[in-house]
Every structure is written in structure tokens, then in C-alpha cells.
């Protein structure tokens, strides 16, 4: 899988992409992540990537030309890439979307900034995605969230094939409670069922706990159709 990120602030990605599972996924050759500075596709000596909005108003708007040139260069004529614009106006990212995107061969992510993007940039996007109903200073943070949620689902990235099966949002349920050593800490004990080695009882307990927790914390998930 290839992921190309178009941004005005490439240094924002350095530390996170170089740590933990994202680093391992790249080292294994399971995913190739490239961060591109949009200013490399500008045409003036000042490398201008934004300008004042037509009609007046506060802030600056990202120019259409650099983004369009970058996408033209990065997306092959075979059009195997999916171009995604990170914007608060997009569809809210969830596990169902992450699983679908993890099957794509190439993602091209456009990080919005300033007051927004020239409306014509939306013509390039196959999808527009948001990470929540709030406003951030830039699209780089949503891009990182999307990359992490997708890459961990690429086969071979996580160490155990079952790691994603029972986690939160699978089958519209939150994950069951997890414990590790010590078995007792400041009077708080691990449930006995997890210590007795009876895997059928453990599986039943976990299923019951996942359902009970979801009913209390996220009852809306139970009403959703399965992914």
C-alpha cells in the first residue's frame, strides 16, 4: 500500500511516522508513506501556496494550482489511487471507513489549512473525510489519525491476526475490559473467570461485558447496521 500526503507542513509528520507500528509497517515494506511539501508544486519565486479569498473575509485560502499539479503527478493514469481531502465538511471517519480504505492500493491525502481550500480542489477528491465535529488549525492532524487507523488494518502490520477482531467498534460493540499482572492492586482484583483457564467461560464473559459496556457507554452503536 502507498500513502502520499500533501501538506504545507511536512515536519509535522516526522516523529509520529517514525515511531511504533507506523515505523514497523514501513520497515516491513507493507506500506510506503511519503510526505510531500505542496510548495514544491508552486510556480513563483516565493513558493506561494495560499492567497486572500475572493469577495473578502478573514484568513487565507489554499491555492488550487499547486494541489492540482501535485495530484496530477502522484496519481497514475491507471487511477488506482483514491484522493482524500481532509476537511470538517467531510464524512466522519469511523472503523467501517478505515477498513474500506485499508483495501486500497494508494491513498493521496490533501491536508487543508488556513481558512480552507479553494473550492475547485474538491473536484480532485474521491472522498472528503473529517475526524469529528470540531475545527482544528490544520488538516495534518486528521491525516495522521486516518493514516494510523488505516495502516494498522493492513494485513501483517499488527503482530497477531486476531488483534483487530475483538477490539472496539467491531460488530458494533466496544471492547471488553482487559487486565494484566498483578492479579490484585490496591484491593482491586482481576475477575476470577479470567484466571481459571476455562476459555469457553472467558469468551462468554468477554462477550457479555462487551455488550453491557456498549449499552451503557455507546447505545447508538447497537442500532447501527453491521460493517
Amino acid at each position: 500500500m502507498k500513502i502520499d500526503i500533501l501538506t504545507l507542513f511536512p515536519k509535522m509528520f516526522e516523529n509520529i511516522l517514525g515511531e511504533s507500528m507506523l515505523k514497523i509497517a514501513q520497515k516491513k515494506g507493507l506500506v510506503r508513506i511519503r510526505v510531500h511539501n505542496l510548495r514544491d508544486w508552486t510556480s513563483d519565486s516565493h513558493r506561494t501556496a495560499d492567497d486572500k479569498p475572493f469577495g473578502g473575509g478573514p484568513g487565507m485560502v489554499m491555492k488550487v494550482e499547486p494541489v492540482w499539479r501535485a495530484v496530477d503527478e502522484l496519481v497514475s493514469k491507471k487511477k488506482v489511487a483514491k484522493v482524500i481531502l481532509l476537511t470538517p465538511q467531510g464524512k466522519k471517519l469511523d472503523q467501517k471507513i478505515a477498513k474500506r480504505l485499508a483495501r486500497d492500493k494508494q491513498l493521496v491525502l490533501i491536508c487543508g489549512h488556513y481558512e480552507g481550500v479553494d473550492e475547485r480542489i474538491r473536484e480532485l477528491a474521491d472522498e472528503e473525510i473529517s475526524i469529528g465535529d470540531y475545527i482544528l488549525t490544520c488538516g495534518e492532524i486528521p491525516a495522521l489519525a486516518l493514516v494510523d487507523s488505516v495502516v494498522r488494518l493492513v494485513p501483517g502490520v499488527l503482530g497477531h491476526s486476531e488483534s483487530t477482531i475483538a477490539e472496539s467498534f467491531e460488530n458494533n460493540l466496544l471492547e471488553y475490559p482487559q487486565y494484566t499482572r498483578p492479579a490484585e492492586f490496591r484491593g482491586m482484583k482481576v475477575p476470577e473467570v479470567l484466571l481459571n483457564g476455562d476459555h469457553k467461560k472467558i469468551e462468554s464473559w468477554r462477550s457479555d461485558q462487551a455488550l453491557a459496556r456498549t449499552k451503557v457507554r455507546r447505545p447508538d452503536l447497537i442500532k447501527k447496521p453491521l460493517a
Side-chain angles (χ1 to χ4, degrees), residues 97-163:
I97 291 175
K99 289 169 72 174
R100 173 169 55 79
L101 294 178
R103 296 193 291 267
D104 283 299
K105 293 182 179 180
Q106 181 185 8
L107 300 178
V108 177
L109 309 183
I110 303 171
C111 301
H113 210 82
Y114 305 122
E115 193 63 26
V117 301
D118 186 298
E119 185 68 17
R120 290 165 289 189
I121 290 174
R122 297 184 191 277
E123 296 297 319
L124 288 167
D126 298 302
E127 289 192 52
E128 297 182 23
I129 291 180
S130 165
I131 61 168
D133 296 337
Y134 47 88
I135 305 299
L136 297 170
T137 57
C138 61
E140 282 74 14
I141 295 171
L144 281 166
L146 188 150
V147 168
D148 190 77
S149 68
V150 168
V151 168
R152 65 188 302 278
L153 296 174
V154 173
V157 171
L158 297 183
H160 200 294
S161 60
E162 296 180 2
S163 295

Side-chain angles (χ1 to χ4, degrees), residues 164-181:
T164 63
I165 294 176
E167 62 188 3
S168 290
F169 308 115
E170 292 298 320
N171 299 316
N172 291 358
L173 295 174
L174 299 179
E175 189 175 8
Y176 49 78
Q178 295 274 22
Y179 298 89
T180 187
R181 294 179 178 84

Side-chain angles (χ1 to χ4, degrees), residues 13 45 56 69 79 81 151 157 173 195 207:
F13 293 88
S45 59
R69 293 185 191 118
K79 196 60 176 71
V151 168
V157 171
L173 295 174
L195 306 175
S207 178

